[in-house]
């Protein structure tokens, strides 16, 4: 792989029983051309793509979304990781959601490849991203009767923060491969994952970390071959799925470095997410919530299981053979659990 791809891939990592609810009557909707993308509309003309205007403290910009499917009660908005990654790493959802009649929306957050990419670093702020998601929700017509919010990695941070402010708009929340505390993530990385590396490999990696030489080709090779293939996506680099490579290629490092920092072994420097922690607020979330963890993840799966017990209505899904991108390396388990949660909430069985 080229140096640029390694740099971009390095920047990615940052980027349930329950109470029964009143039974909901499911409306069966056939995915015909007529109700899928209505004729003579902009929706059909653009194949479900919609550029949504977003108001920010620094002016108005547009973000890219694309609708797939049609269901009045199950609509899932996908929040990608990064920050600064793209929707592309979720293209495998096309292999599972359509046949289950689940409507879903791809979405590139502001700064990501398919959306506007302003250069003002002050825009890469968690609270501003929360307001962006709310504006996207309104523009797409999502509400408490149909709106499921899925967030993975950084998207999980954004999803939790959104739920803490706007959960009355949600029907269901999915927190995938993300803990509720960056300091806890740092501790798990330092005390659990780093020691699993070959001691000589770890020593050499840390020598580059100490020098803040994060773009050194040798450092990048060591990280990708010894860490990524064990904890990010458990496949040899040559076998990585094409959407993953494409997503890494399109990652915006300005967004990532501002919020997450340049290091693979923690949040360092002036990264704006460095002290983020909502552990004490999880109990405020009453929305039906699925947390997804993986045995080999960069995030502690026990912490993700714990989140499901802290929220008021939680369920935990473990992907035993998966890592941070378990939608690829433990795909069958991942999608079976995710689809079951969405349908259980929709039917009132959750």
């Amino acid at each position: 792989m080229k140096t640029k791809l390694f740099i971009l891939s390095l920047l990615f990592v940052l980027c349930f029983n329950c109470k029964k609810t009143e039974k909901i009557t499911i409306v069966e909707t056939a995915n015909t051309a007529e109700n899928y993308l209505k004729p003579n509309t902009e929706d059909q003309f653009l194949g479900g793509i919609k550029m949504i205007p977003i108001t920010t403290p620094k002016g108005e910009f547009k973000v890219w979304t694309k609708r797939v499917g049609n269901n009045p009660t199950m609509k899932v908005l996908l929040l990608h990781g990064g920050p600064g990654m793209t929707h592309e790493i979720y293209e495998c959802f096309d292999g599972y959601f359509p046949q289950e009649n689940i409507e879903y929306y791809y979405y590139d957050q502001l700064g990501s490849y398919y959306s506007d990419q302003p250069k003002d670093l002050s825009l890469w702020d968690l609270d501003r991203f929360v307001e962006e998601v709310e504006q996207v929700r309104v523009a797409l017509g999502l509400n408490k009767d149909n709106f499921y919010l899925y967030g993975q990695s950084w998207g999980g941070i954004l999803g939790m923060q959104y739920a803490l402010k706007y959960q009355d708009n949600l029907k269901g929340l999915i927190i995938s491969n993300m803990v509720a505390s960056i300091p806890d993530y740092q501790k798990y990385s330092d005390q659990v994952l780093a020691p699993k590396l070959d001691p000589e490999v770890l020593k050499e990696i840390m020598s580059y970390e100490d020098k803040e030489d994060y773009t050194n080709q040798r450092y990048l090779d060591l990280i990708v071959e010894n860490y990524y293939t064990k904890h990010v996506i458990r496949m040899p680099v040559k076998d990585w799925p094409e959407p993953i490579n494409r997503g890494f290629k399109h990652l915006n490092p300005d967004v990532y470095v501002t919020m997450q920092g340049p290091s693979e072994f923690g949040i360092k420097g002036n990264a704006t997410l460095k002290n983020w922690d909502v552990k004490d607020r999880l109990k405020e979330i009453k929305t039906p919530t699925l947390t997804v963890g993986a045995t080999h993840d960069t995030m502690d799966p026990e912490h993700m299981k714990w989140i499901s017990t802290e929220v008021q209505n939680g369920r935990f899904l473990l992907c035993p053979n998966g890592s941070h991108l378990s939608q690829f390396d433990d795909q069958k388990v991942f999608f079976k659990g995710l689809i079951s949660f969405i349908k259980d909430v929709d039917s009132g069985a959750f």
Side-chain angles (χ1 to χ4, degrees):
M1 298 177 65
K2 295 181 179 179
T3 299
K4 182 178 179 182
L5 177 56
F6 280 124
I7 293 172
L8 294 174
S9 64
L10 175 63
L11 296 176
F12 170 65
V13 164
L14 278 173
C15 356
F16 270 118
N17 336 6
C18 326
K19 296 179 181 177
K20 284 198 172 183
T21 58
E22 185 179 353
K23 188 171 181 62
I24 301 171
T25 301
I26 299 175
V27 179
E28 293 294 338
T29 305
N31 280 325
T32 64
E34 182 177 359
N35 61 36
Y36 177 48
L37 296 174
K38 296 184 182 300
N40 304 316
T41 66
E42 184 176 327
D43 199 25
Q44 185 182 51
F45 180 71
L46 295 175
I49 292 172
K50 186 174 185 178
M51 297 298 295
I52 296 176
I54 297 297
T55 301
T56 80
K58 298 303 175 74
E60 185 174 286
F61 303 97
K62 289 185 177 180
V63 297
W64 181 96
T65 66
K66 177 179 173 64
R67 176 169 74 88
V68 182
N70 183 68
N71 191 300
T73 63
M74 295 186 291
K75 303 175 186 287
V76 185
L77 180 64
L78 304 174
L79 301 181
H80 60 69
M85 196 60 177
T86 78
H87 73 279
E88 293 161 308
I89 61 172
Y90 304 113
E91 289 177 357
C92 58
F93 280 58
D94 290 348
Y96 291 86
F97 273 15
Q99 66 200 57
E100 299 295 338
N101 198 25
I102 296 173
E103 180 178 326
Y104 56 110
Y105 291 82
Y106 292 121
Y107 160 36
D108 266 24
Q109 299 151 25
L110 187 64
S112 293
Y113 188 76
Y114 291 83
S115 296
D116 287 349
Q117 300 176 34
K119 298 300 182 183
D120 191 327
L121 299 184
S122 68
L123 289 167
W124 316 139
D125 173 78
L126 175 56
D127 290 337
R128 192 211 59 77
F129 273 110
V130 168
E131 297 310 312
E132 177 183 317
V133 173
E134 175 61 3
Q135 292 180 64
V136 169
R137 178 195 70 81
V138 172
L140 294 176
L142 309 177
N143 59 56
K144 62 182 178 60
D145 298 319
N146 56 36
F147 178 29
Y148 295 80
L149 187 61
Y150 170 93
Q152 184 178 46
S153 193
W154 142 252
I157 293 177
L158 184 53
M160 282 182 261
Q161 205 71 41
Y162 178 89
L164 287 168
K165 185 171 184 179
Y166 290 116
Q167 67 176 314
D168 288 345
N169 299 328
L170 288 170
K171 185 172 184 176
L173 173 66
I174 300 101
I175 304 165
S176 185
N177 308 92
M178 189 63 227
V179 296
S181 166
I182 292 297
D184 281 13
Y185 158 69
Q186 179 73 66
K187 183 177 179 181
Y188 186 71
S189 177
D190 291 343
Q191 298 182 6
V192 178
L193 297 185
K196 290 182 178 181
L197 291 170
D198 178 276
E200 291 303 313
V201 170
L202 178 60
K203 181 180 178 180
E204 189 173 359
I205 288 174
M206 295 312 296
S207 71
Y208 292 105
E209 288 270 329
D210 292 341
K211 293 181 291 186
E212 299 184 0
D213 192 6
Y214 302 116
T215 61
N216 187 290
Q217 184 62 55
R218 174 61 178 168
Y219 171 79
L220 298 171
D221 289 347
L222 288 168
I223 290 291
V224 171
E225 294 294 344
N226 295 279
Y227 186 78
Y228 264 58
T229 54
K230 290 183 175 66
H231 302 296
V232 176
I233 180 165
R234 290 170 61 80
M235 301 177 186
V237 175
K238 65 179 179 63
D239 295 333
W240 283 4
E242 189 274 339
I244 296 295
N245 290 327
R246 185 162 23 97
F248 287 156
K249 180 180 179 181
H250 290 158
L251 185 144
N252 185 339
D254 287 345
V255 183
Y256 189 95
V257 173
T258 299
M259 302 188 76
Q260 155 72 15
S263 172
E264 184 55 58
F265 276 66
I267 314 294
K268 299 182 179 180
N270 297 320
T272 60
L273 292 174
K274 188 173 183 177
N275 298 311
W276 179 81
D277 189 317
V278 295
K279 288 189 299 183
D280 293 341
R281 297 193 61 196
L282 292 172
K283 62 180 70 71
E284 300 174 28
I285 299 177
K286 59 182 183 295
T287 301
T289 301
L290 174 69
T291 60
V292 182
T295 300
H296 307 284
D297 203 341
T298 54
M299 307 290 166
D300 181 4
E302 288 300 316
H303 185 123
M304 289 176 271
K305 181 179 180 180
W306 173 81
I307 292 175
S308 72
T309 67
E310 283 294 291
V311 298
Q312 295 182 33
N313 294 289
R315 175 185 293 178
F316 177 61
L317 169 65
L318 178 68
C319 297
N321 297 313
S323 61
H324 200 57
L325 299 177
S326 49
Q327 72 266 33
F328 281 105
D329 55 21
D330 204 357
Q331 191 172 89
K332 298 297 184 184
V333 171
F334 175 87
F335 278 105
K336 181 180 179 181
L338 176 57
I339 291 166
S340 293
F341 169 76
I342 292 169
K343 290 195 166 185
D344 285 348
V345 172
D346 188 57
S347 68
F350 184 83

